[in-house]
Amino acid sequence: MRPDQAREISERDQLWASLRALRAEVDHLAVGEFAGTERQVRIVTLLARIVAAEMDYRARAAGPE
């Protein structure tokens, strides 16, 4: 494994672990409890960025198609 790959995996693991603090709020959003508060909008934006980054990572890991 290349050093940059190891670093990226470590960073991804840390990111996902840090989301535990938001778990209760994410669970509420997941069942449709969306009041549109500024905090909820920020959490949804954060989750969208994380999903996009994860999709990019997986595309790179899969290599060229």
Side-chain angles (χ1 to χ4, degrees):
M1 179 180 302
R2 296 186 329 255
D4 60 327
Q5 287 176 312
R7 186 187 75 250
E8 186 171 32
I9 290 169
S10 175
E11 289 172 354
R12 286 176 57 240
D13 289 345
Q14 289 175 11
L15 172 64
W16 285 105
S18 70
L19 287 176
R20 287 188 191 114
L22 298 174
R23 180 60 193 255
E25 292 174 272
V26 170
D27 287 343
H28 288 288
L29 292 167
V31 296
E33 295 176 14
F34 185 74
T37 65
E38 182 180 338
R39 181 167 175 86
Q40 286 181 329
V41 171
R42 289 175 45 205
I43 290 171
V44 169
T45 301
L46 172 65
L47 292 173
R49 288 179 180 167
I50 291 168
V51 169
E54 184 69 14
M55 291 173 74
D56 289 344
Y57 169 79
R58 289 174 182 262
R60 283 192 311 275
E65 292 186 18

